[in-house]
Amino acid sequence: MIFKVYVQEQTDQVPVRERTKAIYLEGESEREIRKKMTGTPYLIEAIVPLEGPYLEYEKEHVNFKLTEL
């Protein structure tokens, strides 16, 4: 399954919506994604599973690229 992860790149500051970035990761569950993100310089805001029409929309309308960790 593919997940859209909303992150902040600055972990030492209060999250600000304008600085939120999205990365796409592949994994079995949200727990696995959180485990993969351990030790990265990102502050996780939300993890959203993408499937069906939502995944197709992201692939067509956004700069969709799976991130390898």
Side-chain angles (χ1 to χ4, degrees), residues 41-54:
Y42 297 117
L43 173 66
I44 299 171
E45 286 187 26
I47 300 175
V48 179
L50 297 177
E51 55 190 358
Y54 300 110

Side-chain angles (χ1 to χ4, degrees), residues 6-68:
Y6 294 98
V7 297
Q8 294 279 323
E9 292 182 329
Q10 299 176 347
T11 59
D12 60 340
Q13 295 183 3
V14 176
V16 177
R17 181 181 305 212
E18 289 78 20
R19 291 191 296 228
T20 299
K21 302 210 187 275
I23 59 174
Y24 300 90
L25 295 171
E26 190 169 12
E28 294 295 319
S29 65
E30 183 177 328
R31 179 178 283 177
E32 183 181 335
I33 297 300
R34 288 190 181 279
K35 197 176 219 183
K36 283 183 177 183
M37 299 280 303
T38 302
T40 62
Y42 297 117
L43 173 66
I44 299 171
E45 286 187 26
I47 300 175
V48 179
L50 297 177
E51 55 190 358
Y54 300 110
L55 178 58
E56 294 306 316
Y57 176 83
E58 293 289 332
K59 285 181 177 179
E60 292 176 9
H61 295 92
V62 179
N63 295 332
F64 181 84
K65 181 180 176 189
L66 283 177
T67 303
E68 295 290 329

